[in-house]
Amino acid sequence: MKKLKGCLYSASESNTKLPDLGPDLIMSEILPRLPAKCVGRAKKVCQEWLSCISSKEFVMMHCRHMCKGSRQKILSIGQESCFISSTTVDLVDEKTMITLPFHVRPSDVWILSSLNGLLCVCLRNTFEMLIWNPLIRSCINISDSKSYGFFKIYSDAVGLYIDSSNDYRVLHIKRGRFTVDVMAYSRRTSHWKRIPFLQKRHYHTNGYVWSGGTFCEDGLYFTVFQFWLAGDIVIIRFDVNTETFSEIGFPYVGNVMGL
């Protein structure tokens, strides 16, 4: 987007007349090829763009273009080995074995969250959390004390997201005996920050099960359901811009079991 703006600005300064692309070409050939974050911003251009981008046809076009990306890879972790393969159909059998940048067996690596090729993982032997990019073989250990960056199975929840300054962050929700502590790690500053959670909520108890976080536009979403009461499900949304939490009612899906 910055390069495009720079080209347009240079052309206007040199009095070069730009060709009229036309709305149909923009909608069918340019917008579907933009990254998801740019498409979200494009919704604010005008009502016509919002209507087009919100349509099912545009969603399908965008997904098809994203799936054609030659840089998309599949990471496969086995008991003793780790492979990266291409998503391209004719290259699906071509695999590249990679060496883990941490001293554990592949089976001792838990993937907690992923976003744009980055993984937040946990090492089973130490419970340390790391940010790992398998494509460039780099990782960062984000655990710096017994309180920050250590994952506790069955009680903690983790999500990767990008804030308004394009900083990659890790949200770590830690549930204690009577509290919910939330910490956010900044990839840019390499520091943790405490974030207040919802007041007077009982999601800290073992009766609730949390999913991993799913990042979409400006929100990080967690599905939380009560283990002992069937049907008691809620979505917890973390606004990455205001750094506040809110509750969203889980949509009704009917009796899928036919009971």
Side-chain angles (χ1 to χ4, degrees):
M1 292 296 288
K2 290 183 179 179
K3 292 182 179 180
L4 178 60
K5 291 180 180 178
C7 292
L8 294 177
Y9 179 78
S10 300
S12 62
E13 288 294 309
S14 60
N15 295 323
T16 301
K17 185 176 181 180
L18 294 174
D20 186 6
L21 299 178
D24 293 338
L25 182 61
I26 294 176
M27 296 297 180
S28 62
E29 299 297 334
I30 297 180
L31 288 181
R33 288 178 167 81
L34 294 179
K37 193 170 184 178
C38 295
V39 172
R41 292 173 178 172
K43 290 182 178 180
K44 303 177 182 179
V45 173
C46 63
Q47 189 64 36
E48 183 181 358
W49 282 33
L50 173 61
S51 177
C52 174
I53 294 173
S54 302
S55 66
K56 293 182 179 180
E57 292 77 13
F58 180 87
V59 172
M60 294 302 295
M61 282 194 298
H62 187 266
C63 288
R64 284 195 294 268
H65 284 298
M66 293 301 102
C67 290
K68 293 179 181 178
S70 60
R71 294 193 303 171
Q72 290 190 350
K73 306 293 181 181
I74 297 176
L75 176 68
S76 303
I77 299 179
Q79 291 292 325
E80 301 292 341
S81 59
C82 186
F83 294 91
I84 289 181
S85 57
S86 174
T87 58
T88 307
V89 176
D90 55 351
L91 297 177
V92 71
D93 293 330
E94 294 189 9
K95 297 181 180 180
T96 302
M97 180 181 292
I98 64 174
T99 302
L100 298 179
F102 19 84
H103 302 293
V104 297
R105 296 172 57 189
S107 58
D108 290 331
V109 178
W110 291 329
I111 298 178
L112 306 178
S113 184
S114 64
L115 180 64
N116 294 345
L118 284 183
L119 301 176
C120 181
V121 301
C122 171
L123 306 184
R124 184 179 297 185
N125 57 341
T126 61
F127 301 103
E128 296 171 288
M129 291 168 52
L130 304 94
I131 298 177
W132 176 31
N133 188 330
L135 292 178
I136 61 175
R137 317 293 199 269
S138 67
C139 73
I140 301 173
N141 192 323
I142 63 176
S143 57
D144 60 5
S145 72
K146 289 299 180 182
S147 299
Y148 301 160
F150 287 82
F151 183 80
K152 188 176 181 181
I153 193 172
Y154 301 128
S155 63
D156 292 3
V158 170
L160 273 168
Y161 68 95
I162 305 175
D163 65 11
S164 57
S165 65
N166 289 323
D167 181 17
Y168 281 85
R169 291 177 175 264
V170 177
L171 192 74
H172 185 191
I173 298 177
K174 299 172 62 68
R175 291 187 292 161
R177 187 176 180 182
F178 298 108
T179 60
V180 175
D181 291 329
V182 181
M183 305 296 300
Y185 177 84
S186 168
R187 174 68 182 83
R188 181 174 298 161
T189 65
S190 301
H191 287 93
W192 288 91
K193 173 184 177 181
R194 188 178 298 277
I195 296 177
F197 188 64
L198 297 168
Q199 297 294 321
K200 298 180 180 180
R201 296 294 189 269
H202 301 288
Y203 299 124
H204 63 276
T205 65
N206 292 331
Y208 286 95
V209 178
W210 287 64
S211 72
T214 300
F215 180 61
C216 182
E217 292 189 352
D218 296 328
L220 187 63
Y221 297 84
F222 299 85
T223 301
V224 182
F225 69 92
Q226 197 164 7
F227 184 75
W228 300 110
L229 296 177
D232 189 2
I233 308 176
V234 67
I235 295 176
I236 303 296
R237 181 182 187 271
F238 175 69
D239 190 303
V240 303
N241 295 323
T242 63
E243 296 188 335
T244 57
F245 287 90
S246 60
E247 297 168 300
I248 303 175
F250 195 86
Y252 178 73
V253 295
N255 191 347
V256 296
M257 298 300 294
L259 300 177

